[in-house]
Amino acid sequence: MNTYVLYNPLAGNSTCEQQAQVLEKLLSNKQLRFCSMTEIDSYADFFSGLVPSDEVVLCGGDGTLNFFVNATKDITIENDILYFAAGSGNDFLHDIGKEKGCVPFKINKYLSNLPRVTVNGKESIFVNAIGFGLDGYCCEAGDEKRKTANGKPVNYTSIAIKGLLYAYKPSGATVIVDGVERRYKKVWIAPAMHGRFYGGGMNAAPHQDREDAEPCLSLVVWHTSGKLKTLMAFPSIFKGEHIKHTECIDVIKGHDITVRFDRPCALQIDGETVLNVTEYTAKSAAKVNAEKKAAATV
């Protein structure tokens, strides 16, 4: 049996390859083969070259998981897939109650029956969340800072504070959840959550459970509040206590979610930025499967 370590060299502020070397000690009883994910042209070919007893360790962050599930969506994988967190945010890791540095663990059950999002006509799978609003702005600004950071970590907290104070302008938004339409003014964030965490530790949807048999999604809409109130309340999102502010925060559970902003802004999918977006539609795995079943009977 071989253990293939697939690492994302861009993860963890480009430190993933170095972090992956820790596996030599953590998995000292295994025969490790390291491979950069940027060197794999076809995952179908990669997995066809394995025997069922081989295992694969994914080494990276939330964006790495997102890339992997989309790259392998049409492949039947018989091998055990393990995960070693080496990202900068590691929201998936936090959501399932693990700590960074832990021994790689099997994640096959988390990589199937995932929700999907459509943005600008392109559909993709997501693992944690779709962020729209201030969080998208933070990812956009973080990407720009990373270009000149020379490998130094990007401080997203300071970016968020800057956005709250003056850089990000909230927008009016229309949301439709399972056919019910709502209209909001001054929307700061409107993420659709499959897990509880996103944005590098923000517990945006504390009651969301990705391990439900048929999990729905949680849409979190922070709206109406002014800059000062939002700035004062924002730190509470890291403990999930922001939902107590029911006068400006709605959490709506559903299987089919559309969010439409009045003006274009950045959106993030598991931490990966998409620019100039006015609308996204997210569907739970249950909704996606129901639509596939219905289409097959036509």
Side-chain angles (χ1 to χ4, degrees):
M1 181 187 79
N2 291 311
T3 298
Y4 292 84
V5 178
L6 305 187
Y7 64 89
N8 176 4
L10 301 178
N13 294 305
S14 300
T15 64
C16 185
E17 183 176 3
Q18 179 181 350
Q19 292 186 61
Q21 301 308 310
V22 174
L23 295 173
E24 294 279 12
K25 292 183 178 180
L26 290 178
L27 303 176
S28 58
N29 60 328
K30 298 179 182 291
Q31 181 67 39
L32 303 185
R33 296 190 177 187
F34 290 84
C35 179
S36 170
M37 296 177 75
T38 59
E39 297 176 356
I40 299 177
D41 295 323
S42 167
Y43 279 85
D45 291 344
F46 172 80
F47 279 101
S48 67
L50 306 185
V51 298
S53 60
D54 290 336
E55 60 184 10
V56 174
V57 179
L58 292 181
C59 185
D62 299 305
T64 302
L65 291 173
N66 179 282
F67 174 82
F68 182 80
V69 296
N70 281 283
T72 59
K73 63 183 179 181
D74 298 320
I75 302 172
T76 299
I77 297 177
E78 299 179 352
N79 308 86
D80 285 348
I81 307 298
L82 286 70
Y83 181 57
F84 181 70
S88 54
N90 301 310
D91 290 308
F92 169 77
L93 190 74
H94 296 152
D95 191 42
I96 61 175
K98 299 285 187 178
E99 297 292 333
K100 189 172 183 180
C102 69
V103 174
F105 55 95
K106 186 177 176 179
I107 60 169
N108 292 65
K109 70 176 183 177
Y110 298 111
L111 303 182
S112 60
N113 287 320
L114 288 169
R116 302 200 175 201
V117 62
T118 300
V119 179
N120 295 338
K122 178 183 178 181
E123 183 186 75
S124 60
I125 302 170
F126 65 99
V127 176
N128 295 318
I130 306 304
F132 201 21
L134 177 64
D135 45 357
Y137 157 78
C138 289
C139 286
E140 179 182 10
D143 290 346
E144 288 300 316
K145 282 186 174 293
R146 190 173 291 109
K147 293 176 182 178
T148 57
N150 296 321
K152 296 180 180 179
V154 175
N155 189 331
Y156 284 96
T157 301
S158 65
I159 293 174
I161 292 174
K162 176 183 175 181
L164 286 166
L165 288 174
Y166 62 89
Y168 175 74
K169 307 298 182 184
S171 170
T174 298
V175 305
I176 305 171
V177 181
D178 293 345
V180 178
E181 183 173 316
R182 298 170 174 84
R183 179 66 186 173
Y184 292 98
K185 297 179 180 179
K186 294 180 67 174
V187 174
W188 291 94
I189 59 172
M193 307 293 299
H194 175 57
R196 293 173 296 161
F197 293 89
Y198 85 139
M202 291 189 290
N203 190 357
H207 301 307
Q208 177 68 13
D209 185 1
R210 72 167 70 234
E211 296 194 56
D212 280 348
E214 289 191 350
C216 59
L217 301 172
S218 291
L219 175 67
V220 183
V221 186
W222 193 321
H223 60 95
T224 309
S225 59
K227 290 183 179 181
L228 182 59
K229 181 177 181 179
T230 305
L231 182 62
M232 293 177 64
F234 198 77
S236 65
I237 197 172
F238 289 94
K239 293 185 177 181
E241 296 177 353
H242 60 298
I243 62 174
K244 296 178 181 178
H245 297 276
T246 55
E247 74 283 357
C248 61
I249 295 177
D250 288 352
V251 181
I252 311 165
K253 288 184 174 290
H255 292 280
D256 192 342
I257 296 171
T258 295
V259 178
R260 186 178 302 121
F261 273 24
D262 290 350
R263 62 174 179 81
C265 64
L267 172 145
Q268 60 93 5
I269 305 174
D270 290 335
E272 301 302 308
T273 311
V274 184
L275 302 178
N276 299 316
V277 177
T278 55
E279 177 180 326
Y280 76 83
T281 296
K283 297 181 180 181
S284 69
K287 176 67 174 179
V288 172
N289 292 334
E291 289 182 344
K292 287 182 179 179
K293 185 176 180 180
T297 59
V298 175

